[in-house]
């Protein structure tokens, strides 16, 4: 009996292990995502009812896309997790799913980090920037973003202390590459708007004004 209990102690996480870092979800960001997703679903549903009326037509694609995006954001919101770190485990707590996952540091065999933003279109000038962390351990993938985690810089610092040097380099290279690609596409978009779209729009307005004069 004693040998069995000793084995269980080695396998199961020790609830009294010293906590090195413990994050909390940002209430504002979580609420923003939740309310935004519900608003999109509500707007899409109303749009669907207003455009279809008595028969289905091709306009159905637009409200369905809005509802789909809203549902996708809502599902992502429900899978948000806070992160805690002990010397033995990386702990992911999913409050909406009522689930906690303990990942032994030694079991992490692969990792990645990409640049992500809340930007929804090319016209967005005020948007949040963050990082998406991906981990692979014991045949399972885990993912979380820094958008909704308070004190995320400390979290990244604690992660770097415990991950293998090759994984840290891979994460850094992947992040820098994704960040460069984002800003390149952003600059290309603004250049395209400034040199092509805005001049054409201005010419159209001038022509309309001349014809109506």
């Amino acid at each position: 009996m004693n040998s069995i209990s000793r084995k269980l102690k080695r396998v199961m996480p020790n609830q009294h292990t010293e906590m090195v870092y413990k994050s909390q979800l940002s209430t504002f960001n979580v609420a923003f995502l939740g309310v935004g997703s519900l608003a999109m679903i509500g707007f899409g549903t109303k749009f669907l009812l207003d455009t279809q009326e008595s028969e289905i037509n091709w306009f159905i694609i637009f409200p369905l896309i809005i509802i789909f995006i809203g549902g996708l954001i809502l599902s992502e919101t429900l899978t948000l997790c806070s992160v805690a770190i002990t010397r033995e485990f990386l702990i992911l707590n999913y409050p909406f799913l009522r689930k906690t996952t303990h990942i032994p540091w030694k079991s992490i065999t692969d990792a990645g980090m990409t640049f992500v933003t809340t930007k929804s279109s090319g016209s967005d000038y005020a948007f949040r920037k963050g990082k998406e962390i991906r981990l692979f351990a014991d045949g399972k993938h885990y993912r979380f973003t820094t958008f909704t985690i308070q004190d995320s810089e400390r979290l990244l610092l604690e992660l770097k202390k415990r991950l293998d040097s090759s994984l840290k380099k891979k994460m850094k290279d992947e992040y820098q590459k994704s960040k460069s690609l984002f800003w390149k596409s952003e600059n290309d978009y603004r250049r395209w708007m400034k040199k092509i779209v805005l001049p054409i729009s201005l010419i159209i307005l001038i022509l309309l004004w001349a014809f109506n004069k």
Side-chain angles (χ1 to χ4, degrees):
M1 191 71 178
N2 291 335
S3 62
I4 294 176
S5 62
R6 284 196 297 269
K7 289 180 181 179
L8 287 174
K9 287 181 180 180
R10 288 197 298 268
V11 174
M12 296 298 292
N14 185 354
Q15 299 300 324
H16 302 289
T17 302
E18 180 185 356
M19 193 69 66
V20 176
Y21 168 85
K22 185 176 182 180
S23 73
Q24 293 181 342
L25 289 176
S26 170
T27 304
F28 174 81
N29 289 340
V30 173
F32 178 79
L33 290 172
V35 172
S37 62
L38 292 175
M40 290 187 70
I41 293 173
F43 174 76
T45 302
K46 186 177 184 305
F47 188 17
L48 178 64
L49 296 175
D50 291 343
T51 56
Q52 299 310 302
E53 296 182 350
S54 59
E55 61 180 16
I56 297 177
N57 55 64
W58 67 274
F59 278 107
I60 195 173
I61 188 172
F62 298 111
L64 287 180
I65 290 175
I66 295 173
I67 294 172
F68 173 77
I69 295 175
L72 188 64
I73 296 174
L74 181 60
S75 65
E76 289 293 320
T77 303
L78 294 176
T79 57
L80 291 175
C81 66
S82 60
V83 182
I85 291 176
T86 69
R87 299 187 186 278
E88 293 82 13
F89 297 96
L90 174 67
I91 305 171
L92 305 181
N93 179 39
Y94 301 85
F96 300 111
L97 300 179
R98 296 181 179 275
K99 183 178 73 171
T100 301
T101 301
H102 293 73
I103 308 172
W105 290 108
K106 294 181 180 179
S107 69
I108 299 176
T109 56
D110 197 7
M113 181 169 67
T114 54
F115 176 82
V116 291
T117 78
T118 56
K119 187 177 179 64
S120 59
S121 68
S123 60
D124 289 350
Y125 284 91
F127 51 87
R128 296 178 182 273
K129 300 178 286 292
K131 302 175 178 67
E132 179 183 80
I133 311 297
R134 301 184 312 281
L135 302 172
F136 183 81
D138 293 331
K140 296 181 180 180
H141 288 275
Y142 303 93
R143 179 172 61 89
F144 56 88
T145 66
T146 61
F147 280 134
T148 54
I149 295 178
Q150 296 181 7
D151 196 12
S152 58
E153 291 303 317
R154 168 130 185 246
L155 167 61
L156 295 174
L157 180 63
E158 296 295 341
L159 280 176
K160 291 176 181 178
K161 289 180 180 179
R162 290 161 177 81
L163 291 176
D164 183 82
S165 58
S166 60
L167 294 182
K168 287 189 289 186
K169 184 179 185 306
K170 179 184 176 183
M171 292 170 69
K172 181 180 178 180
D173 292 344
E174 183 180 354
Y175 174 76
Q176 292 298 337
K177 182 178 179 181
S178 62
K179 184 178 180 180
S180 297
L181 287 173
F182 168 80
W183 286 114
K184 181 180 182 302
S185 64
E186 180 72 5
N187 292 334
D188 289 343
Y189 172 82
R190 293 182 180 179
R191 193 180 306 113
W192 180 72
M193 288 290 292
K194 184 177 180 180
K195 291 184 176 181
I196 299 176
V197 177
L198 292 180
I200 291 176
S201 299
L202 183 60
I203 291 172
I204 292 174
L205 289 174
I206 293 173
L207 291 174
L208 290 173
W209 175 81
F211 284 127
N212 292 328
K213 188 175 180 181

